[in-house]
Amino acid sequence: MVTELKGTLLRAVIPALIGVAVVAWMFCSDFNPEAWHRLHFDWRTVAALALALVFVAGRDFGLTWRFRTITDGALSWRRALRVDIMCAFTSAITPSAVGGSALAIFYLNREGVAVGRATTLTLTTLFLDELFFVVFCPLLVIALPMDELFGGMASHEVFLNSVEVVFWVVYAGIVAWTAILFTGILARPEWLEKAVVWLFSRRWLRRWQKGASAMMDNMKTTSAWVKTRSRRWWLEVFGATTLSWFSRYFVVNALFWGFVPTASGLLVFGRQFVVWVVLMISPTPGGSGVSEWLFTNYYGDLIGDLSVALVIATVWRILSYYIYLFTGACLAPSYFRKKK
């Protein structure tokens, strides 16, 4: 148990070091000391930071609300918040492409939810998150011209083109995965089961047949459960999901309101959507290093100064990442001291 705790805390240190190293490198190479004179710290800045903290709380409230709702009130607000924080912590210490939030099964079980039900609930939350991206991307494309959403400084044309390509490739993957989840959970789980059984009966995939079978059993259990849920329940859990993601994006809107009030709020929000989709394939824990670099270059044209963009990116990461890394590291010992 002590070994597990040390390993968890070590994994919390590694992404922090990666992020700090990249930020330090960017400050040394791109930061101009004169940028401090262009940053105006006044009542608006203080109010913007306070508003950003409100949106951070909104993100956690949305997910806590969702955990409490999907468990039909079995989790208290405090225990649901603890699950939310630990999921955020796990996401912060694992590569974004892996998806640390899948350990919600483990955390829900620690809070007294049976493993089978915890698996069902986690699959449901996964479907809700993917559904959010599928629903809101078309609305974003309608609201914002592509040359603004993926536009920017001419010197960064190759970078911006790469961001656009990665975004659409990842989004296509999200749509495909959401379709699979929709088929397996809501529409025709028996169709998906037949397809999976056929696919994993192939010789080169046979070694994963047992795991695929277990996954399909979980999906069928989830399907049977969610089909008993009312329309009001679906509206509530999807509303909580939307509140969480919108709050996450509005943190950056609040910072821009304080530091770059002339920037378009809708465009700032839209680019956050792109940033989070691109970061889904980040190879570093919690997007460490990649997030700061991406934010600085992608928002550079709206800010007009890469040095100022770097400062805003650092504040953004503190509020959206390091705060969960620190809080989760404080909660982890109590989880790992408990009896298995």
Side-chain angles (χ1 to χ4, degrees):
M1 192 65 68
V2 174
T3 303
E4 291 177 0
L5 176 57
K6 288 182 178 179
T8 300
L9 295 179
L10 179 61
R11 284 190 290 272
V13 171
I14 292 174
L17 292 177
I18 294 174
V20 170
V22 171
V23 170
W25 171 73
M26 293 176 69
F27 265 100
C28 291
S29 59
D30 296 326
F31 190 74
N32 183 355
E34 294 181 1
W36 289 115
H37 301 293
R38 291 191 285 273
L39 290 171
H40 302 288
F41 294 93
D42 51 18
W43 70 268
R44 178 191 286 268
T45 307
V46 174
L49 292 173
L51 185 59
L53 287 172
V54 170
F55 288 130
V56 170
R59 176 261 180 209
D60 291 309
F61 173 75
L63 290 182
T64 301
W65 176 23
R66 188 172 73 175
F67 277 123
R68 181 168 164 77
T69 302
I70 64 173
T71 58
D72 294 324
L75 290 185
S76 65
W77 284 101
R78 180 181 178 182
R79 290 161 64 196
L81 175 61
R82 193 157 53 197
V83 173
D84 162 51
I85 295 298
M86 289 307 298
C87 286
F89 170 68
T90 310
S91 296
I93 63 175
T94 56
S96 302
V98 174
S101 59
L103 274 179
I105 298 171
F106 170 76
Y107 299 127
L108 286 168
N109 181 243
R110 285 288 176 130
E111 297 296 342
V113 180
V115 174
R117 190 181 181 205
T119 305
T120 297
L121 298 180
T122 301
L123 279 172
T124 305
T125 58
L126 176 62
F127 172 68
L128 290 167
D129 284 328
E130 304 304 307
L131 184 64
F132 169 83
F133 286 100
V134 172
V135 169
F136 282 97
C137 183
L139 299 178
L140 189 66
V141 171
I142 293 173
L144 288 169
M146 289 295 96
D147 59 340
E148 290 186 17
L149 187 61
F150 297 104
M153 295 174 286
S155 59
H156 288 71
E157 184 176 352
V158 174
F159 162 77
L160 294 168
N161 288 338
S162 300
V163 168
E164 184 174 3
V165 171
V166 171
F167 172 80
W168 287 117
V169 169
V170 175
Y171 180 72
I174 292 173
V175 172
W177 178 230
T178 306
I180 292 173
L181 289 173
F182 177 78
T183 303
I185 293 175
L186 288 173
R188 297 286 183 178
E190 65 277 6
W191 289 3
L192 185 60
E193 183 179 24
K194 290 179 181 178
V196 170
V197 168
W198 177 85
L199 181 63
F200 283 88
S201 64
R202 305 301 96 185
R203 185 174 59 184
W204 58 90
L205 293 176
R206 221 168 271 167
R207 68 175 70 178
W208 295 290
Q209 193 173 36
K210 186 176 180 181
S213 178
M215 181 187 72
M216 288 314 306
D217 288 341
N218 289 328
M219 273 201 173
K220 286 191 292 184
T221 303
T222 304
S223 176
W225 178 72
V226 298
K227 286 179 180 178
T228 65
R229 303 290 91 185
S230 65
R231 182 179 300 178
R232 179 179 177 180
W233 182 90
W234 277 107
L235 290 174
E236 188 171 349
V237 292
F238 189 69
T241 302
T242 303
L243 171 64
S244 174
W245 279 107
F246 270 46
S247 296
R248 198 181 311 224
Y249 297 164
F250 280 141
V251 169
V252 176
N253 279 84
L255 295 178
F256 266 79
W257 176 69
F259 291 99
V260 194
T262 56
S264 166
L266 180 59
L267 184 55
V268 171
F269 180 88
R271 290 193 180 186
Q272 266 295 281
F273 190 98
V274 174
V275 166
W276 283 100
V277 169
V278 172
L279 287 177
M280 286 184 180
I281 59 168
S282 171
T284 60
S288 300
V290 177
S291 300
E292 294 84 353
W293 177 80
L294 176 62
F295 185 100
T296 302
N297 288 280
Y298 189 37
Y299 280 104
D301 64 308
L302 297 182
I303 299 170
D305 190 318
L306 288 181
S307 297
V308 176
L310 183 54
V311 172
I312 299 176
T314 303
V315 176
W316 167 62
R317 284 295 280 173
I318 290 173
L319 295 175
S320 64
Y321 176 71
Y322 288 102
I323 191 172
Y324 297 108
L325 198 62
F326 175 77
T327 307
C330 293
L331 284 177
S334 66
Y335 264 82
F336 284 91
R337 283 196 196 107
K338 291 179 181 179
K339 189 176 179 180
K340 279 190 178 180

